[in-house]
């Protein structure tokens, strides 16, 4: 079956209804396009859980602040469609902004508390409200059996799990591991912003996270490790660092001394035009 592309919620629902009538399981993979192998790995995981795979491509304006890169965000639909077709994806849903937010649209979805006030929530005020709003809509539009999200955006995955549970959205939320380039750089649509020189520097983030993770897992004090990590990231050419922090893997509470329970180290830092994020799991030895 080759890829079909639809642009309206009505066409999306009609397609899913036909699949449901055949008794098929459906998975949704939400994206903003400019697809890379990380996104494609999500479609493969989706295939393990479902008979039909939908990838949505929508650069959601409500999750970008006015000073951010909504206008510049790469839009590469024909190349994306080719990648999805090659990956065996059945349906691409790529709505317009007007289809998602018609005149009169007035509803917000907001996740309170510790999970959204920290990390990217602190650095990008309103970002997770926009994510919660658009993902709620996509889940209700497609009503898949499951939806796949990357751990690359770990905080986003936690926020999505939270509101899906709180709002009783009947979709299983599945997390997928981070896909990396050969030199360790986490794949990202925003890597396209990097100049060749910056691209050579970019794997520093993963390296610093890896070094700290290995030591923290063996019980080392986090303070000196994080201070050295910040130095190394700045020395490589990143500036500024939005955050370099270790947090509880489930609650995202800050851990400032030593790691004694499953944790995660998170970084966000700017390199030229790109704001790059990454994270690693820390499992105490
Ligand atoms: P985006 O298009 O950047 O909004 O990402 C769409 C989905 O792909 C999100 O669930 C991301 O977490 C996921 N994703 C992005 N980059 C990667 C990666 N390198 N490995 C795995 N998943 C990723």
């Amino acid at each position: 079956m080759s890829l079909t592309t639809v642009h309206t919620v009505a066409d999306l629902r009609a397609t899913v209804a036909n699949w449901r009538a055949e008794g098929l399981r459906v998975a949704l993979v939400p994206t903003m396009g400019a697809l890379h192998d990380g996104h494609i790995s999500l479609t493969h995981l989706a295939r393990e859980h479902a008979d039909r795979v939908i990838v949505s491509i929508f650069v959601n304006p409500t999750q970008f602040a006015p000073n951010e890169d909504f206008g510049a965000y790469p839009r590469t639909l024909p190349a994306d469609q080719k990648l999805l077709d090659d990956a065996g994806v059945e349906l691409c849903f790529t709505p317009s902004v007007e289809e998602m937010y018609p005149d009169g649209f007035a509803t917000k979805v907001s996740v309170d508390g510790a999970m959204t006030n920290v990390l990217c929530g602190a650095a990008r005020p309103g970002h997770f409200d926009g994510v919660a709003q658009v993902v709620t809509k996509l889940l209700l539009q497609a009503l898949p059996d499951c939806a796949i999200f990357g751990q690359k955006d770990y905080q986003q995955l936690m926020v999505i799990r939270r509101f899906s549970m709180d709002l009783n959205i009947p979709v299983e939320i599945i997390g997928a591991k981070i896909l990396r380039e050969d030199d360790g750089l986490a794949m990202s649509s925003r890597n396209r912003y990097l100049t060749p020189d910056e691209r050579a520097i970019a794997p520093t983030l993963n390296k610093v996270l890896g070094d700290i993770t290995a030591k923290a897992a063996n019980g080392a004090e986090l303070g000196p490790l994080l201070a050295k990590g910040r130095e190394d990231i700045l020395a490589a050419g990143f500036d500024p660092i939005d955050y370099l922090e270790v947090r509880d893997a489930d609650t995202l509470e800050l851990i400032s001394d030593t790691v004694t329970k499953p944790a995660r180290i998170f970084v966000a830092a700017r390199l030229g035009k790109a704001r790059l994020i990454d994270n690693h799991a820390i499992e105490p030895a």
Side-chain angles (χ1 to χ4, degrees):
M1 193 190 270
S2 63
L3 181 76
T4 301
T5 299
V6 296
H7 302 276
T8 65
V9 177
D11 286 346
L12 168 69
R13 287 213 165 121
T15 307
V16 174
N18 284 336
W19 292 339
R20 292 280 180 219
E22 292 178 56
L24 299 173
R25 273 181 66 85
V26 179
L28 173 68
V29 181
T31 80
M32 298 204 300
L35 300 181
H36 49 67
D37 285 351
H39 296 114
I40 299 305
S41 73
L42 267 47
T43 73
H44 295 323
L45 183 59
R47 178 69 60 200
E48 290 174 24
H49 291 266
D51 308 296
R52 296 287 180 268
V53 177
I54 309 170
V55 172
S56 63
I57 296 181
F58 181 61
V59 186
N60 173 39
T62 72
Q63 70 192 67
F64 289 80
N67 62 333
E68 292 183 344
D69 59 342
F70 174 71
Y73 199 85
R75 289 158 171 89
T76 59
L77 185 60
D80 292 350
Q81 286 169 312
K82 168 89 171 61
L83 283 175
L84 295 179
D85 198 24
D86 291 349
V89 169
E90 283 84 10
L91 189 66
C92 172
F93 173 51
T94 180
S96 64
V97 172
E98 296 71 34
E99 178 74 6
M100 291 298 267
Y101 303 113
D103 278 351
F105 188 94
T107 300
K108 292 198 164 28
V109 182
S110 188
V111 180
D112 268 349
M115 207 166 266
T116 50
N117 294 337
V118 300
L119 302 172
C120 282
R124 304 180 67 188
H127 170 66
F128 286 116
D129 289 353
V131 169
Q133 182 182 52
V134 76
V135 175
T136 299
K137 283 178 66 73
L138 290 166
L139 294 177
L140 295 177
Q141 288 165 347
L143 270 183
D145 296 282
C146 61
I148 318 288
F149 297 88
Q151 291 180 344
K152 163 84 185 345
D153 301 275
Y154 189 87
Q155 186 180 16
Q156 168 175 286
L157 172 63
M158 302 301 277
V159 169
I160 291 167
R161 283 196 199 286
R162 181 75 259 165
F163 73 71
S164 301
M165 208 184 302
D166 292 350
L167 298 177
N168 305 102
I169 298 178
V171 176
E172 184 189 358
I173 305 299
I174 297 172
K177 70 179 177 55
I178 302 175
L179 215 73
R180 298 179 180 281
E181 305 286 358
D182 288 344
D183 60 10
L185 175 65
M187 291 184 185
S188 166
S189 305
R190 289 188 168 97
N191 292 348
R192 294 172 195 235
Y193 296 152
L194 299 172
T195 64
D197 285 352
E198 290 162 353
R199 175 63 188 79
I201 292 168
T204 303
L205 281 190
N206 174 56
K207 183 168 181 320
V208 167
L209 294 189
D211 290 348
I212 298 175
T213 296
K215 291 175 181 147
N218 285 319
E221 280 285 333
L222 292 175
L225 287 180
L226 293 171
K228 169 79 167 56
R230 293 183 69 89
E231 265 175 37
D232 291 347
I233 291 168
L234 291 170
F238 287 85
D239 193 29
I241 301 172
D242 280 352
Y243 53 77
L244 175 66
E245 292 176 354
V246 175
R247 291 184 171 269
D248 184 289
D250 296 319
T251 62
L252 299 187
E253 263 173 71
L254 191 68
I255 302 175
S256 43
D257 36 23
T258 56
V259 174
T260 55
K261 53 191 172 181
R264 206 103 198 165
I265 180 164
F266 298 91
V267 69
R270 183 165 289 276
L271 183 59
K273 287 200 182 71
R275 179 179 180 276
L276 302 182
I277 62 172
D278 200 351
N279 67 86
H280 279 208
I282 308 179
E283 299 290 345

